[in-house]
Amino acid sequence: MIRLETDRLIIRDHIEEDIVDLHKLLSDSKVMYYLQDLKTNSIEESKLNLRVSINESNSDSREKYFLAITDKKTDEYIGEIGVTKLLNSKFGNKFELGYFILEKYWGNGIVTESSRALLDYCFNELDAMKIITGCNKDNLGSEKIMKKLDMVKEAEFIKHVVLHGKICDCVEYRMLQEEWEKHSG
Ligand SMILES: CC(C)(COP(=O)(O)OP(=O)(O)OC[C@H]1O[C@@H](n2cnc3c(N)ncnc32)[C@H](O)[C@@H]1OP(=O)(O)O)[C@@H](O)C(=O)NCCC(=O)NCCS
């Protein structure tokens, strides 16, 4: 079971009791505006999502680390952060990072704080050699997190995805293990 602790937060594997909070988050149109593939429209869909996450947390060949962010003091549910293993090689593993939290918590540095803890865990415990993340170019808050983490911009994709009927550009950032060591050492 994963349980990471930061100054203000606990970042942990899911439990069955997360369903109400998780569904509230996954079905929120504003939160999920840029994450249409993940948005759910019924509690059954959200339950499936939670099941996948809990099954993965019990798996010996785990590839998805979807974690709940909670307030350390109050135990309140804040949102989600996770990494998915994209590549497993003798050189190390490559992961993709993703995050989304309830709107009332936006703008308090919570995802930056959570991402630092999770990146650290990936590089120290999961043999990560590279972690990537990306977003729609209009999603300034999300790109700001990548910049605050000192990630390196690797790509800008023009006319890359269709979102809400519009063609959109995307950016992608990376952190290599040696960059993380230099940065956090
Ligand atoms: C994007 C999101 C994850 C940010 O989480 P957060 O905890 O508010 O992020 P942080 O506070 O750590 O950092 C965000 C930074 O972007 C800034 N920011 C937020 N919205 C912004 C905007 N529209 N324009 C410019 N900057 C913005 C914040 O002020 C903050 O910078 P600061 O620390 O210099 O003040 C959150 O808003 C969210 O869940 N959004 C919906 C889901 C989503 O888009 N997920 C990412 C998909 S790729």
Side-chain angles (χ1 to χ4, degrees):
M1 289 290 273
I2 295 177
R3 189 178 184 279
L4 311 177
E5 195 173 329
T6 69
D7 287 348
R8 295 179 290 170
L9 310 164
I10 298 291
I11 300 152
R12 56 155 177 82
D13 273 320
H14 286 107
I15 51 174
E16 303 286 354
E17 290 74 15
D18 289 331
I19 187 57
V20 174
D21 293 322
L22 183 64
H23 180 59
K24 191 173 164 209
L25 184 72
L26 285 171
S27 58
D28 184 310
S29 300
K30 192 165 175 193
V31 172
M32 304 310 284
Y33 180 86
Y34 290 107
L35 298 163
Q36 288 298 299
D37 293 351
L38 290 180
K39 185 174 181 299
T40 61
N41 296 304
S42 67
I43 187 90
E44 283 71 28
E45 276 183 78
S46 299
K47 277 183 184 165
L48 259 174
N49 227 296
L50 182 59
R51 180 90 335 261
V52 169
S53 178
I54 292 176
N55 285 349
E56 279 281 334
S57 69
N58 294 320
S59 165
D60 290 336
S61 52
R62 188 167 186 180
E63 295 195 332
K64 297 180 171 77
Y65 299 79
F66 299 156
L67 307 170
I69 305 170
T70 61
D71 185 304
K72 193 157 120 178
K73 273 205 189 115
T74 65
D75 201 32
E76 270 177 298
Y77 176 86
I78 294 174
E80 296 288 310
I81 188 161
V83 288
T84 302
K85 197 186 282 180
L86 300 179
L87 177 71
N88 180 341
S89 82
K90 65 176 183 180
F91 307 102
N93 298 317
K94 182 171 94 168
F95 291 93
E96 182 168 21
L97 170 73
Y99 38 67
F100 48 104
I101 63 172
L102 291 167
E103 188 184 355
K104 68 172 176 171
Y105 295 103
W106 291 2
N108 294 301
I110 283 175
V111 171
T112 305
E113 186 172 324
S114 308
S115 299
R116 281 206 179 98
L118 186 54
L119 262 57
D120 213 44
Y121 181 77
C122 289
F123 287 122
N124 290 323
E125 307 293 334
L126 302 180
D127 193 25
M129 62 164 173
K130 179 174 187 173
I131 298 173
I132 61 166
T133 189
C135 65
N136 188 300
K137 216 182 159 190
D138 292 340
N139 195 349
L140 300 177
S142 183
E143 187 176 0
K144 184 87 184 278
I145 292 167
M146 300 167 204
K147 289 178 180 165
K148 285 200 293 180
L149 291 169
D150 286 328
M151 295 182 89
V152 177
K153 189 173 177 179
E154 275 202 328
E156 186 154 332
F157 302 104
I158 309 301
K159 294 188 177 179
H160 197 56
V161 293
V162 175
L163 187 70
H164 304 292
K166 283 198 302 185
I167 187 78
C168 305
D169 302 341
C170 294
V171 291
E172 194 169 290
Y173 282 67
R174 70 134 201 274
M175 179 67 78
L176 298 176
Q177 200 250 340
E178 53 268 35
E179 291 166 343
W180 184 251
E181 259 179 30
K182 208 184 293 171
H183 165 259
S184 55

